[in-house]
Amino acid sequence: LYNKVESFKLLPANIDLVRFKYASSLFDSEQYSKAVNIFSKIDHSNLSKNEINDYYFRFGYSYMSLGQFKHSLALFENLIELPNNKFTNPSIYYTGYIHYLNKEFDSAISFFSKLINDPRFSLSSRYYILESNFMLQNYSYVTQNGEVLYDILTNELKTRTARVLSEAFFAQNNTQKARLYFEKYSMV
């Protein structure tokens, strides 16, 4: 059906809207490679303000899902620069996450720190701030903030926090606490 629509003589704005709806449908069904292909054909200036926000987020997330972080970051950063909207904080989160994956821990901390008060992202952001500080060998930050975080986390992040705490306490020669968190980590 999409290919038939492409063959009609439509105004550019209309064809971009059709492409946007189709790419969004592909995105919703997690067909990110196909979604990227269609999103890349859209002249987003033909979209409404809300559609542009949606376009940047879906296009950026699709690229991120394909491991194409450079393209993803550019789209998320465009969205972050727009007036605050429903995709601003998710874009900040994924930008921080990409920096984390790229081992750019200072940048990751900067982005995750902006989300501490957003209940959707607070706990995972606090975890990634903790682990980023650990990777930067800021063990005092980890030991001062990690125990409180450990108590409120669940599942995998709790286990990972126990490992990070164990190693940070060990690096600070606090073998008693290192052993305690190593045992908690090992219980899984």
Side-chain angles (χ1 to χ4, degrees):
L1 178 63
Y2 172 74
N3 291 333
K4 291 185 186 225
V5 170
E6 286 277 334
S7 67
F8 287 118
K9 303 254 188 254
L10 295 174
L11 294 172
N14 292 339
I15 195 70
D16 283 329
L17 183 58
V18 170
R19 286 178 177 145
F20 173 71
K21 296 293 184 186
Y22 180 57
S24 295
S25 175
L26 292 169
F27 173 88
D28 290 341
S29 62
E30 300 180 4
Q31 297 180 57
Y32 300 119
S33 183
K34 290 179 181 179
V36 162
N37 183 41
I38 303 302
F39 279 128
S40 66
K41 296 178 181 180
I42 297 171
D43 177 356
H44 68 276
S45 67
N46 289 322
L47 302 175
S48 72
K49 182 179 175 181
N50 287 337
E51 289 165 341
I52 288 172
N53 295 338
D54 205 342
Y55 162 85
Y56 278 134
F57 183 78
R58 290 171 181 255
F59 199 6
Y61 189 94
S62 295
Y63 268 131
M64 183 183 71
S65 296
L66 298 172
Q68 297 183 26
F69 298 140
K70 183 177 179 181
H71 295 296
S72 183
L73 279 175
L75 290 159
F76 287 143
E77 288 168 357
N78 283 339
L79 189 51
I80 291 167
E81 291 174 11
L82 294 174
N84 196 20
N85 61 75
K86 70 180 184 176
F87 296 110
T88 301
N89 282 358
S91 295
I92 291 169
Y93 180 81
Y94 289 120
T95 298
Y97 185 67
I98 290 168
H99 285 293
Y100 168 82
L101 291 175
N102 288 335
K103 299 181 182 346
E104 300 162 347
F105 300 114
D106 286 323
S107 293
I109 290 168
S110 175
F111 282 97
F112 287 129
S113 294
K114 297 175 184 179
L115 300 170
I116 296 299
N117 295 319
D118 185 330
R120 298 171 297 170
F121 302 106
S122 180
L123 284 178
S124 57
S125 291
R126 289 173 62 193
Y127 168 77
Y128 286 115
I129 291 168
L130 185 79
E131 187 166 337
S132 293
N133 274 287
F134 174 77
M135 298 304 290
L136 293 169
Q137 298 181 348
N138 187 355
Y139 301 127
S140 61
Y141 178 91
V142 175
T143 56
Q144 289 170 7
N145 295 280
E147 290 184 287
V148 171
L149 188 58
Y150 176 85
D151 289 337
I152 57 177
L153 288 173
T154 58
N155 302 325
E156 181 185 347
L157 291 183
K158 187 172 193 123
T159 302
R160 290 167 62 182
T161 301
R163 181 193 58 81
V164 166
L165 278 167
S166 175
E167 291 185 35
F169 278 120
F170 186 78
Q172 292 183 317
N173 295 318
N174 186 336
T175 56
Q176 184 178 3
K177 288 241 180 166
R179 184 180 310 115
L180 171 72
Y181 283 101
F182 181 76
E183 289 171 0
K184 290 180 182 200
Y185 168 70
S186 299
M187 290 174 46
V188 177

